[in-house]
Amino acid sequence: MTSKLDLQQKDSRGKDLVDEAVFNIFNGYLQPESTISAAQVAGAISKLTPEPAGADKTLGDGYFFGLWKSIIRVAEQIPHDHPGQHKLVSVMRELTLLPDTGITVWDTCRLWIDLPILGPAIREHLNGPGRSDVEEEQARLNKAWVRFHAFSARLIGAGVVDYQNQIIWMLREALEEENNPPKSSALDRDLMTAAMYIEYAGPIMVESLAANPEPELSDQLRRMLKGGSLFRDTTGLRLERWSFWRKRFREEAEKASTEEAKYIALRAARLMDVWSETRLKGKGEDD
């Protein structure tokens, strides 16, 4: 039986984590027993949007930064494998399906099909994870970080957004660098974060590799997607890098401090094995 979510609108100091109106919409919908549809929730969210001033049909970005921040903070409270994560992503997809309003943000971002300012809001959040000298608080921050990335990976996997560069950045951080000591909570966090992108956005990566195993990249992309200190061979999403990640998931799994982190990392490696055999065989993928 799926567990009920204990979502919090305020933090331990009484400050708002999530906008109250947004929280009230999601708190009921995300519960296992809810019969509210994702389309209904998207409609309710859309009604919170302020009206443009004047006749120019444009809105500032402040409201949208706040909206996405609230939704991200809801996602941070949902375990990565809880159905609530899928329901949250379903609302994001339904938002893109709402009728064209004619309203834009930053002149070019259409409301709602382009989910205005979501990309910048997510990139801003990538500056985490939070840090604390209190072990219990750091554990909470680490858990929230993994859950945020599960949500982001699910958005990519569902085709709601196209943030494939982000996948490479997070796998590079966990698997192409040696930033964390063995048997540490930081290693577990980064390893599980990387695994979220295999679990929930892996099929997008595999299809991209199968269609174009040797992509041509601009100089800018080559710099953005270069390898970490442990992987200097190539840049971008390529078969050599895929093979390296498969190997590293297994290596790092043996350094994990919890059975959960080890299991999730080994599961990611196994998923990659299966896709390599079924989708990438004959494309140049080794072993």
Side-chain angles (χ1 to χ4, degrees), residues 37-43 89-99 112 115 160:
S37 71
Q40 288 174 306
V41 174
V89 170
S90 294
V91 171
M92 300 296 285
R93 182 172 56 190
E94 291 297 328
L95 283 171
T96 70
L97 300 178
L98 290 173
W112 285 89
L115 298 176
V160 177

Side-chain angles (χ1 to χ4, degrees), residues 28-246:
Y29 162 72
L30 292 171
Q31 301 303 335
E33 69 276 9
S34 172
T35 59
I36 304 168
S37 71
Q40 288 174 306
V41 174
I45 292 293
S46 72
K47 291 176 183 177
L48 300 178
T49 310
E51 292 291 328
D56 60 358
K57 301 282 280 185
T58 62
L59 287 171
D61 59 20
Y63 167 76
F64 295 97
F65 271 114
L67 172 64
W68 305 134
K69 184 176 182 179
S70 285
I71 290 176
I72 287 169
R73 284 182 166 173
V74 170
E76 289 179 331
Q77 299 183 56
I78 307 173
H80 77 90
D81 55 354
H82 190 284
Q85 283 268 357
H86 174 74
K87 294 177 77 171
L88 196 59
V89 170
S90 294
V91 171
M92 300 296 285
R93 182 172 56 190
E94 291 297 328
L95 283 171
T96 70
L97 300 178
L98 290 173
D100 183 20
T101 62
I103 296 172
T104 60
V105 184
W106 288 359
D107 294 327
T108 58
C109 294
R110 298 165 294 172
L111 186 70
W112 285 89
I113 189 171
D114 294 326
L115 298 176
I117 319 302
L118 178 60
I122 284 182
R123 287 194 294 273
E124 185 177 271
H125 207 72
L126 292 177
N127 293 327
R131 307 289 183 184
S132 175
D133 293 331
V134 180
E135 185 176 350
E136 183 177 325
E137 175 63 10
Q138 187 62 59
R140 186 194 69 78
L141 291 168
N142 289 347
K143 191 176 292 185
W145 182 248
V146 173
R147 292 170 175 180
F148 157 65
H149 283 285
F151 173 60
S152 186
R154 284 174 179 270
L155 287 174
I156 298 168
V160 177
V161 298
D162 182 17
Y163 299 160
Q164 290 196 48
N165 291 353
Q166 184 176 316
I167 299 175
I168 295 175
W169 296 337
M170 302 317 299
L171 270 72
R172 178 175 66 194
E173 179 73 14
L175 305 175
E176 298 178 8
E177 304 288 354
E178 288 187 314
N179 296 322
N180 304 309
K183 307 300 180 181
S184 67
S185 62
L187 184 145
D188 293 351
R189 176 198 63 217
D190 291 352
L191 189 56
M192 291 173 67
T193 295
M196 294 301 102
Y197 287 95
I198 301 300
E199 182 73 38
Y200 300 115
I204 297 290
M205 300 169 67
V206 171
E207 294 309 311
S208 179
L209 277 168
N212 190 7
E214 295 295 332
E216 292 187 11
L217 302 177
S218 66
D219 289 343
Q220 180 183 16
L221 278 177
R222 288 180 64 83
R223 290 191 297 271
M224 289 175 60
L225 304 179
K226 66 181 181 180
S229 62
L230 301 179
F231 184 79
R232 300 291 193 182
D233 295 352
T234 187
T235 184
L237 179 59
R238 298 175 189 272
L239 293 169
E240 304 98 301
R241 205 170 197 177
W242 176 265
S243 295
F244 180 79
W245 290 337
R246 288 169 61 196

